[in-house]
Amino acid sequence: DDYITKPFNPMELLARVKAQLRRTQRYNSPAGAQVREYELRGLYINAETHKATLFGEARLIPPIAFSILWYLCENKGRVVSSVELFEAVWQEKFMDGNNTVMAHIARLREKMKEPPRKPRFIKTVLGVGYQIENEG
């Protein structure tokens, strides 16, 4: 259920093959099992090991940024407001004029080597929030 066009990066091919293997394991696991890992277009994150890889290359992501990324993956396909994201990750009430989420998203994009103008993973929905789009 995947397709890659030529010319392709061998690391991306390897990441996609590994993702297919993980999906097979996930879908064959017992019903009701909690998701502990996500794979999205070459990005792989695992909550148990707290590790992230991008096209097979390890990324060091600080705990708060990892929590932001995890929350966005859990809500993939849905736009998450800065208020919701802040309250879910920091477990505190959001204060107006707080740019904490925006700053952490910018640093997270740097860690993931995302181009600021056209990010591949974390999209900004102006005036609303952030989103990781469904694959497809």
Side-chain angles (χ1 to χ4, degrees):
D1 68 355
D2 200 352
Y3 182 80
I4 188 168
T5 59
K6 291 182 189 176
F8 57 85
N9 180 335
M11 294 304 290
E12 182 175 358
L13 177 64
L14 181 63
R16 288 180 184 227
V17 168
K18 287 181 179 179
Q20 290 296 330
L21 293 172
R22 282 191 302 274
R23 279 191 207 118
T24 301
Q25 291 172 339
R26 186 180 312 144
Y27 293 135
N28 292 329
S29 64
Q34 188 177 16
V35 174
R36 302 304 300 157
E37 61 187 22
Y38 286 100
E39 190 281 327
L40 177 73
R41 296 186 300 274
L43 172 66
Y44 169 74
I45 61 173
N46 185 307
E48 290 179 10
T49 61
H50 211 274
K51 291 188 179 178
T53 58
L54 184 60
F55 301 120
E57 194 176 307
R59 296 279 180 235
L60 296 173
I61 299 179
I64 292 290
F66 190 91
S67 296
I68 290 171
L69 184 58
W70 187 263
Y71 191 81
L72 289 171
C73 283
E74 284 183 322
N75 292 280
K76 185 169 53 170
R78 187 173 77 81
V79 179
V80 178
S81 72
S82 294
V83 173
E84 178 184 347
L85 199 50
F86 184 88
E87 291 178 357
V89 171
W90 279 270
Q91 302 289 308
E92 295 178 12
K93 187 82 175 132
F94 183 82
M95 303 297 273
D96 283 339
N98 190 336
N99 291 327
T100 304
V101 172
M102 184 174 61
H104 277 82
I105 293 281
R107 282 195 293 278
L108 180 57
R109 285 176 173 154
E110 281 178 29
K111 293 277 186 189
M112 295 169 56
K113 298 191 189 227
E114 289 236 89
R117 299 273 184 222
K118 292 195 87 168
R120 292 177 299 176
F121 299 102
I122 303 171
K123 309 283 184 182
T124 300
V125 179
L126 291 176
V128 183
Y130 301 96
Q131 173 186 38
I132 290 184
E133 296 173 335
N134 283 320
E135 295 181 72

